[in-house]
Amino acid sequence: MTRTVLVTGGSRGLGATIVKTLAHQRFQVVVNYNKSKDAAEQLVSEIGEDKAIAIQADVTNRAEVDQMIKVATEYFGQIDVVVNNALVDFKFDPSKQKSFTELTWDDYQKQVDGTLRAAFNVVQSVIPQFIDRKDGTIISIGTNLYQNPVVPYHEYTTAKAGLIGFTRNIASELGVHGIKANVVSGGLLKTTDASAVTTPEVFDLIAQSTPLKKVTSTQDVANMVAYLASEHATGITGQNFTVDGGLTMN
């Protein structure tokens, strides 16, 4: 049976690479987007409307998420996997990052909402059908910065670190229903919209600091997501997988 995956923020950057990788591995894909309608529809056109659908929803808005889950479920029959990938307005720009004393709680709240509230909305909306089927997979995109904040992106890193607690509690409570939940934490990705302002010097420094002497690509992360979404990963839950060329080691 063909499995269906919902990828939030799936129209651009890492999300688009995840979508393409999953489609190549014969998953049906729901491409969620908020504002990038043209990019999402182009992606669906490339994959084929029999294998993909683009659905607009602000994942911080529960009503919009519920409607997205309803439409996607009606289109493909069910959802088997959700990938919490959406990122709300953040740039990896060390020259413009606010120091801790300059930050406000609103800065933190924006990232907490974009990361944790979004994941909460999506997971809670889809979970009834996972429980009914005694099967389902949740994958959330984290960051290696929570282990080694080489640049103190305070609000972003704090929100992403919260995904690990969120995920492990979901895994603990819902494993009895056959539901698996994991995090994939990438390094600084070359290149996405969020890392477009990162200088070549920073990328070179990171590459030289890793055992593999390379910067993490969106494909590196997408490959791990695809594995966890597959039926080969049925015994894995509650884990945080760091994909950063060995820059950080667990």
Side-chain angles (χ1 to χ4, degrees), residues 137 180 182 224-237 241:
T137 299
K180 300 163 291 295
N182 294 288
M224 177 56 77
V225 171
Y227 173 73
L228 292 173
S230 75
E231 294 179 343
H232 299 296
T234 54
I236 302 172
T237 195
F241 295 93

Side-chain angles (χ1 to χ4, degrees), residues 135-210:
D135 186 38
T137 299
I138 301 155
I139 304 166
S140 296
I141 303 301
T143 179
N144 69 344
L145 288 169
Y146 92 98
Q147 284 180 274
N148 183 22
V150 290
V151 176
Y153 295 117
H154 298 274
E155 65 275 44
Y156 169 83
T157 304
T158 301
K160 287 292 190 180
L163 275 178
I164 297 173
F166 173 82
T167 296
R168 288 176 174 165
N169 279 284
I170 293 291
S172 179
E173 179 182 336
L174 299 176
V176 68
H177 299 293
I179 295 166
K180 300 163 291 295
N182 294 288
V183 178
V184 178
S185 293
L188 180 65
L189 301 179
K190 190 173 182 180
T191 302
T192 65
D193 288 351
S195 65
V197 295
T198 302
T199 64
E201 291 77 14
V202 170
F203 280 123
D204 289 343
L205 177 62
I206 291 174
Q208 291 308 309
S209 301
T210 69

Side-chain angles (χ1 to χ4, degrees), residues 1 10 18 32 79 90 92 99 106 115 123 125 128 137 151-152 156 167 191-192 198 210 218 229 238:
M1 180 179 174
I18 292 172
N32 160 252
I79 298 171
F90 193 84
F92 298 105
S99 69
D106 286 343
T115 297
V123 171
S125 186
T137 299
V151 176
Y156 169 83
T167 296
T191 302
T192 65
T198 302
T210 69
T218 57

Side-chain angles (χ1 to χ4, degrees), residues 6-238:
L6 163 66
V7 182
T8 68
S11 63
R12 300 179 298 155
L14 174 59
T17 304
I18 292 172
V19 165
K20 291 175 184 177
T21 301
L22 292 169
H24 182 71
Q25 296 190 15
R26 306 194 180 205
F27 287 90
Q28 295 170 154
V29 187
V30 180
V31 183
N32 160 252
Y33 68 94
N34 186 17
K35 299 176 182 177
S36 303
K37 180 179 180 180
D38 290 345
E41 291 183 346
Q42 176 61 34
L43 200 52
V44 169
S45 178
E46 293 172 11
I47 296 169
E49 293 184 0
D50 58 327
K51 298 177 182 177
I53 183 175
I55 305 178
Q56 190 280 332
D58 175 354
V59 287
T60 67
N61 183 308
R62 180 56 182 269
E64 292 186 19
V65 168
D66 287 346
Q67 179 63 16
M68 173 177 65
I69 296 297
K70 179 177 182 292
V71 171
T73 302
E74 290 174 349
Y75 193 85
F76 284 124
Q78 65 185 50
I79 298 171
D80 301 282
V81 182
V82 295
V83 180
N84 294 309
N85 167 74
L87 176 63
V88 176
D89 297 333
F90 193 84
K91 300 292 183 185
F92 298 105
D93 186 347
S95 67
K96 294 184 178 179
Q97 171 64 27
K98 294 178 182 178
S99 69
F100 180 71
T101 56
E102 295 170 322
L103 286 163
T104 67
W105 179 250
D106 286 343
D107 294 319
Y108 276 84
Q109 192 67 58
K110 185 175 184 180
Q111 293 307 312
V112 168
D113 285 348
T115 297
L116 288 174
R117 185 175 185 176
F120 171 85
N121 285 343
V122 172
V123 171
Q124 199 172 69
S125 186
V126 78
I127 216 75
Q129 60 179 280
F130 284 6
I131 292 173
D132 285 346
R133 291 198 311 274
K134 298 290 185 183
D135 186 38
T137 299
I138 301 155
I139 304 166
S140 296
I141 303 301
T143 179
N144 69 344
L145 288 169
Y146 92 98
Q147 284 180 274
N148 183 22
V150 290
V151 176
Y153 295 117
H154 298 274
E155 65 275 44
Y156 169 83
T157 304
T158 301
K160 287 292 190 180
L163 275 178
I164 297 173
F166 173 82
T167 296
R168 288 176 174 165
N169 279 284
I170 293 291
S172 179
E173 179 182 336
L174 299 176
V176 68
H177 299 293
I179 295 166
K180 300 163 291 295
N182 294 288
V183 178
V184 178
S185 293
L188 180 65
L189 301 179
K190 190 173 182 180
T191 302
T192 65
D193 288 351
S195 65
V197 295
T198 302
T199 64
E201 291 77 14
V202 170
F203 280 123
D204 289 343
L205 177 62
I206 291 174
Q208 291 308 309
S209 301
T210 69
L212 295 179
K213 304 303 179 187
K214 66 186 288 289
V215 177
T216 310
S217 70
T218 57
Q219 191 63 61
D220 293 331
V221 175
N223 289 341
M224 177 56 77
V225 171
Y227 173 73
L228 292 173
S230 75
E231 294 179 343
H232 299 296
T234 54
I236 302 172
T237 195

